[in-house]
Amino acid sequence: MSSLSHKRILLLLVFLLSILVYSNSLTGSFHYDDLHHIARNFNIRKLSNIPHFFLNPRMFSESAENPMYRPILLTTYAINYAIHDNNVIGYHLVNVVLHGINAVLVFLIFLSVFDSPLILIFLVTLLYAVNPINTEAVNYLSSRSDLLSTTFLLLAFYLFVKGRSSLLVSATYLMGLLTKEVAASFPILLLLYDALFRRPSSRDLVKRHLPVWMATLFYLLLRKVLMGSSGIAAAFTRAAPSGVWEGSLSYTTSYQLTQIKVVMNYLRMWFVPTGLTIEHHYPLIGSLDEPSFLILSALFLFLLFLAIYASRWDRRITFFYLWFLVTLLPTSLFPLNVVMAEKRVYIAGIGLAGVLLSIAKILLSRLPERRRALSMALVFLPIILVFAVGTFLRNTVWKDEITLWEDAVKKSPHSYVAYHVLAEAYLDEALKLQPYPLHPLPPRGMEYMEKAIKNFRKAISFDPEGKQSGPIYNGLGVALYRIGRIKEAIEVLEKGTRVFPGLPELYNSLGNAYSLAGESDRAIEAYRKAISLRPEFPIAYTNLGNAYAARGQYRMAARYYRKALELDPTNRVARENLTRALRLLSK
């Protein structure tokens, strides 16, 4: 059999095995950001909106207050929705296939950069593909941004290494930028590659690299025009969270220095993927003399020195270790709301796989040739098997919101986020069992609701007056009025509006509580406040219509039902209530 046939067979195996380990992930539910980016995002429900995705960053979420410029990503969601609505299997299938494609691209890049034995490249690629640390990127539907931007970046890098047209490389890279901002690390990777391996002339350097930097500039200018922001920082991050940081260092400085510890943790988790969780509670360092920071900073610098020094033996060790660090730069330099997230290692881990491949090649070269195949099998196959089983088991944790966030609470018991989202998961399950406010919940629904209340209160206990606690008060208030504790719910929701006066959901829920208490005037006032904060809020319009209908003002009720349907044509409650209101008006 020819060498080309061997390569094709191994490529196919890489693709199929990469998919196989995620075969039990296809029925996993929507999680956390998936809800407002996909499940409740009405903007992706019309293919005709696709051109608008490239012009309007406010279409990224159900809430226009959270703009992001990722039009390619939104386009894939819209195509998904057009084919199968909100059936999660289709969304998951795309993510899993993208992961398979990325594994194939990693294999091709390693083939192009290394002269290692084919089977060694195959084994290391497989080790990357089945590594449990990738489960967040593949299972979390919102993390398609990481998968797809990695696809474009890897393809662009492969084309660059193969000497293809600079315009083609730049266009592919631009697609990655339009999927997720972190692709902006790509031009630095190209400079490192040429500096370490090619050392081109100045003319060749300009020819190969200028189009890529022009694509970056074009993206930043386009983003500035569309989002009204400027500067590199604005391109990579939202504002740092307010009211959540106290320390001798500024928030930005503390975040950046903490990333040294986070990067060392990423490195450890790639090789020893234990302690995986959707929510890593990672406190920022408060001062430069913290022992853990000093130790890990020393380790960080030592490993960086080793990687650079290793260029004496194999420059690929240097390049791929720098790949690991450079691809983490956007999320390390520019403060984000989440300090540590496993999905960020998805592209960075390719660098660690490259380092491993380089070292393995050196070690194998010192063995007699007849022992190399057996040595590779004995070392890599058990690890691949353990990693594959770990990934398969980790997928089951992503089955639904409750299993995912129960796991998070166990591993991050000091995270208010973990308790909050777990509480929301219990609340959602209870409401699925009985969605109508005036109907009693079944016993299982009451059990879920009590667990929701317990976890909401636990989340609030970490920071009762914090600026991040508004949504927690909202969830607690909803849970309380749904089990008949209306007075208590009103107290909680009113406090929430004082702590977080800009959250429209709080006023909508407060209006519901007032309605249940028979205070229609206050209910209408609360709904109007919710709408003033978010003019495109179909549920609030429906509830406002209900409030007027309860007072016999059917003409006003019909007006707001129509507005709700204009914003959300799938709103069954608004449609039924509009029909009822019009029938009563005709009598």
Side-chain angles (χ1 to χ4, degrees), residues 174-199:
L174 183 59
M175 295 283 280
L177 281 175
L178 295 175
T179 302
K180 191 169 186 178
E181 304 86 340
V182 293
S185 59
F186 180 70
I188 302 175
L189 292 179
L190 299 192
L191 288 174
L192 288 171
Y193 182 82
D194 269 356
L196 286 166
F197 300 115
R198 288 177 51 89
R199 300 185 179 179

Side-chain angles (χ1 to χ4, degrees), residues 103-118 120-128 154 157-158 161 270 316 319-320 323 349-358:
V104 167
L105 287 169
V106 170
F107 185 77
L108 291 173
I109 287 170
F110 285 168
L111 279 176
S112 302
V113 175
F114 288 91
D115 55 358
S116 305
L118 186 60
L120 178 60
I121 293 175
F122 168 72
L123 290 172
V124 173
T125 301
L126 206 55
L127 191 69
Y128 165 79
L154 290 177
F157 184 77
Y158 179 71
V161 170
W270 196 87
R316 285 164 291 205
F319 174 73
F320 280 106
W323 174 302
I350 297 167
L352 296 179
V355 171
L356 180 62
L357 180 53
S358 303

